[in-house]
Amino acid sequence: MTAFDIPAGAPGAEDAEDKVVVAAAAAPEESHNGSVVVPPKPEKHTRVQVVRHPADDSSDEEDGEDGGEVVEDSQILEDLPDETEDIELIHSRLNSNSVNKLGLPRFGKHLKRLCLRQNFISHVDPDIFGALTELEELDFYDNKIKHVGSALNNMTRLTSLDFSFNLLKRIPEELQSHLKALKTIFFVQNKISHITHLEQFAPTLRSLELGGNRIRTIEGLDALVNLEELWLGKNKISKLELKILSIQSNRITKLENLDSLENLEQLYISHNGITKLEGLDKNPKLTTLDAGNNFIEVLENISHLTKLEELWINDNKIVSLANVEPQLKHITTLETIYLEGNPVQKAEGANYRRKVTLILPQIQQLDATYVKQTSGS
């Protein structure tokens, strides 16, 4: 079962307003532009779409002639099987009461994607949405929602959630305690002023969109170590105060554009294509730098990082220990350094570990092994 929009000007278009257009699989038919439309075979991936067309000014609808049949809210989804996996009700003039009459709970064991874009929904009813336990994608884009409450608590399989263009004043605290699979969240164009209540999304969250809000400070992101995309355009941010930045496992070949992150404390850039350590002149507060698994040939441009505590430079292309002393010996805070997996380890052989600990007597750990402290060190 699938949905077809009736093109403007085609026979029956004047009657289409407020109708549900649901076409079952049938024989091929010719479309308005002459092409052959072959409806897909009926399957459990059912989609329904409510289509609302503007009224035609030239029609006689005001006189009661040719007026479109009004579909009651309770009838919109009544012909769909319980096994339906995909429902779209876009720009359908639905309000909270309308949604309650749709009969959504009967799809609870099978529905995976629900799109309610561009409606007038202001309340998310737990009795209705609590039954949708198999949902993976939920879209409330462009509604009038101010609060979420416990309505989504049972959606433990949800991976994508869109609350863009609503009236939220904060990121709903209730979400993080229950949505354990969430990978993508959209809160674009709300009234959010603080980045909060995201910590428990850390294991899964990959993309966070907060553009068009009232955010002044970048905060509350420290725990999101797996975050790959952060969108903060059109806010009220005057200064970047990001403390942790993880951009591991991407395709970065050059370290740059970090000048504005003066408060950065932890930088994770491992598993990229970086060939040179550079671009960190404005990041003196760094305590952790992970540049492992890149293509760096020389240890350089980090002597000014005097607060550095951990340096991961393993599995690169470093062939000599010559720069270790001038770059790191004076950094008294340095406790851990990973150099293994570089050509220099093999070149130095059995002397590798002894040489590094003599050059850097302050370290407590070299690679995965603690350094034995002696009275002479």
Side-chain angles (χ1 to χ4, degrees), residues 136-362:
E136 296 175 3
E137 299 177 16
L138 178 58
D139 191 341
F140 280 112
Y141 181 100
D142 195 6
N143 277 278
K144 298 181 179 299
I145 297 169
K146 294 182 178 180
H147 305 283
V148 178
S150 61
L152 311 188
N153 287 4
N154 296 337
M155 298 182 185
T156 56
R157 298 177 182 271
L158 201 67
T159 61
S160 178
L161 176 62
D162 195 341
F163 273 112
S164 297
F165 289 85
N166 277 279
L167 303 174
L168 297 172
K169 292 184 178 180
R170 63 178 180 86
I171 296 174
E173 183 177 3
E174 305 84 359
L175 299 181
Q176 66 170 341
S177 300
H178 300 88
L179 307 186
K180 301 298 185 181
L182 210 55
K183 295 181 179 180
T184 304
I185 308 177
F186 301 88
F187 286 120
V188 179
Q189 203 70 39
N190 278 274
K191 299 180 179 181
I192 297 170
S193 56
H194 295 282
I195 306 174
T196 56
H197 310 312
L198 295 172
E199 297 84 0
Q200 295 183 45
F201 292 130
T204 59
L205 193 61
R206 298 292 187 272
S207 179
L208 175 62
E209 296 214 19
L210 287 163
N213 280 282
R214 301 175 180 179
I215 297 167
R216 295 182 180 275
T217 303
I218 299 178
E219 58 187 345
L221 301 173
D222 294 1
L224 304 182
V225 294
N226 292 313
L227 194 66
E228 297 173 356
E229 298 180 8
L230 175 62
W231 302 86
L232 289 167
K234 294 186 178 180
N235 274 281
K236 300 179 182 298
I237 300 168
S238 58
K239 184 178 181 180
L240 292 177
E241 298 184 8
L242 198 65
K243 293 185 177 181
I244 299 177
L245 176 60
S246 175
I247 43 179
Q248 299 164 302
S249 301
N250 280 286
R251 300 177 181 179
I252 300 169
T253 58
K254 182 179 177 65
L255 266 181
E256 56 187 348
N257 300 322
L258 299 174
D259 292 357
S260 60
L261 304 180
E262 297 180 359
N263 293 306
L264 196 64
E265 295 179 1
Q266 299 179 33
L267 177 59
Y268 300 91
I269 52 173
S270 63
H271 297 274
N272 278 284
I274 298 168
T275 58
K276 183 177 182 179
L277 272 179
E278 59 185 340
L280 301 174
D281 297 344
K282 302 296 184 180
N283 313 112
K285 295 183 180 181
L286 276 176
T287 60
T288 299
L289 175 58
D290 181 359
N293 292 92
N294 280 284
F295 300 92
I296 298 167
E297 297 181 354
V298 179
L299 188 64
E300 59 185 339
N301 300 321
I302 57 172
S303 61
H304 64 290
L305 303 179
T306 55
K307 295 184 178 181
L308 203 60
E309 298 174 3
E310 295 188 19
L311 175 61
W312 298 60
I313 197 82
N314 54 285
D315 297 288
N316 276 278
K317 305 294 183 182
I318 297 173
V319 297
S320 171
L321 296 176
N323 279 18
V324 173
E325 182 171 352
Q327 289 292 314
L328 301 174
K329 186 171 185 177
H330 62 285
I331 303 179
T332 58
T333 56
L334 188 64
E335 298 179 353
T336 300
I337 181 172
Y338 275 74
L339 269 169
E340 62 186 358
N342 281 285
V344 66
Q345 182 183 25
K346 184 177 181 180
E348 294 292 346
N351 294 321
Y352 160 76
R353 187 172 182 82
R354 182 179 63 85
K355 283 190 175 182
V356 175
T357 54
L358 285 174
I359 295 172
L360 303 174
Q362 74 272 38

